Amino acid sequence: EAQVTQNPRYLITVTGKKLTVTCSQNMNHEYMSWYRQDPGLGLRQIYYSMNVEVTDKGDVPEGYKVSRKEKRNFPLILESPSPNQTSLYFCASSLSVRANTEAFFGQGTRLTVV
Amino acid sequence: GENVEQHPSTLSVQEGDSAVIKCTYSDSASNYFPWYKQELGKGPQLIIDIRSNVGEKKDQRIAVTLNKTAKHFSLHITETQPEDSAVYFCAASFTNLFFGTGTRLTVIP
């Protein structure tokens, strides 16, 4: 089944404790992206990647890191999480490097930083 | 970068009525305009999309219109049903995908 898999689905952590949210897609997609969803703000892009070893900042990259060492995986790293990073996070992938084909989303990761 | 505005933020309609959601975008280079539906506890899913060389596209009860001159596009849902209740996002793309702030649609049985 074609899908984007994120883990974990739920995470509660403390301020400053490094964490990684994993994202994997099995569709051989070129483009992958991370979004955070907050009430009233919609989906804001954190980072995106158009190919292996190529990553770029989105609209809200501060406090986040990503890597794209393999085509299928695109982990999101929070080196020192803070309460303002409490949010619902989505990973997405798309066949086209220009993001002008259907984007497939994971189920989401609800992160709480206390 | 691209700026996508979406209205209204909430919309309630009676079952069987039509619903319209409107979006505007700022980057005239954008050429791909998808609409996503997000049900509770799930990730967004594509329901319909339109490219800049087309003015209107229809798929059963849903349709999208695009006015490139005015830089706005709209989603139309006819004969709404309770299962249409969800959050809807518009988006615009040239090389990257930018989303609107979402519309929570409630269909009242």
Side-chain angles (χ1 to χ4, degrees), chain A residues 9 31 33 35 37 40-45 48 50 57-59 88 90 97-108, chain B residues 1-2 29 31-32 34 36 38 41-47 49 51 87 89 92-102:
Chain A
R9 290 289 311 276
Y31 176 94
S33 182
Y35 294 88
Q37 183 176 6
L41 297 177
L43 292 158
R44 294 181 294 167
Q45 191 178 60
Y48 64 99
M50 292 190 175
K57 295 178 180 179
D59 292 328
L88 179 58
F90 286 100
V97 296
R98 294 170 65 86
N100 58 2
T101 56
E102 178 178 2
F104 292 83
F105 284 80
Q107 289 285 78
Chain B
E2 174 67 275
N31 57 6
Y32 176 63
Y36 287 82
Q38 184 181 26
K42 296 185 178 180
Q45 280 193 298
L46 181 73
I47 55 171
D49 56 14
R51 298 186 186 275
V87 178
F89 290 99
S93 172
F94 175 54
T95 58
N96 204 2
L97 193 59
F98 296 89
F99 286 86
T101 49

Side-chain angles (χ1 to χ4, degrees), chain B residues 14-104:
Chain B
Q14 292 288 336
E15 182 176 357
D17 287 350
S18 295
V20 180
I21 302 170
K22 298 183 178 182
C23 290
T24 60
Y25 62 98
S26 60
D27 188 351
S28 57
S30 290
N31 57 6
Y32 176 63
F33 306 91
W35 286 86
Y36 287 82
K37 177 183 182 182
Q38 184 181 26
E39 296 177 335
L40 198 62
K42 296 185 178 180
Q45 280 193 298
L46 181 73
I47 55 171
I48 195 168
D49 56 14
I50 192 168
R51 298 186 186 275
S52 58
N53 58 345
V54 175
E56 184 173 355
K57 184 177 179 181
K58 191 173 182 181
D59 183 3
Q60 299 183 336
R61 294 186 299 107
I62 60 173
V64 58
T65 59
L66 171 65
N67 183 327
K68 281 224 76 177
T69 303
K71 288 192 260 185
H72 64 73
F73 56 115
S74 301
L75 176 71
H76 303 253
I77 306 174
T78 59
E79 300 171 22
T80 53
Q81 301 168 2
E83 52 265 39
D84 293 329
S85 294
V87 178
Y88 291 81
F89 290 99
C90 62
S93 172
F94 175 54
T95 58
N96 204 2
L97 193 59
F98 296 89
F99 286 86
T101 49
T103 297
R104 182 174 297 280

Side-chain angles (χ1 to χ4, degrees), chain A residues 4 13 16 21-22 24 27 29 32 34-35 55 59 62 65 76 79-80 84 87 91 95 97 99 102 109-112:
Chain A
V4 178
T13 190
V21 184
T22 64
S24 180
M27 296 168 279
H29 283 173
M32 296 187 75
W34 277 102
Y35 294 88
T55 62
D59 292 328
E62 293 78 21
K65 286 175 58 178
L76 179 70
E79 295 268 4
S80 182
N84 65 10
S87 187
C91 178
L95 180 63
V97 296
E102 178 178 2
T109 296
R110 186 165 292 281
L111 172 66
T112 301

Side-chain angles (χ1 to χ4, degrees), chain A residues 2-14:
Chain A
Q3 60 185 1
V4 178
T5 303
Q6 287 179 235
N7 279 296
R9 290 289 311 276
Y10 302 92
L11 179 59
I12 301 174
T13 190
V14 296

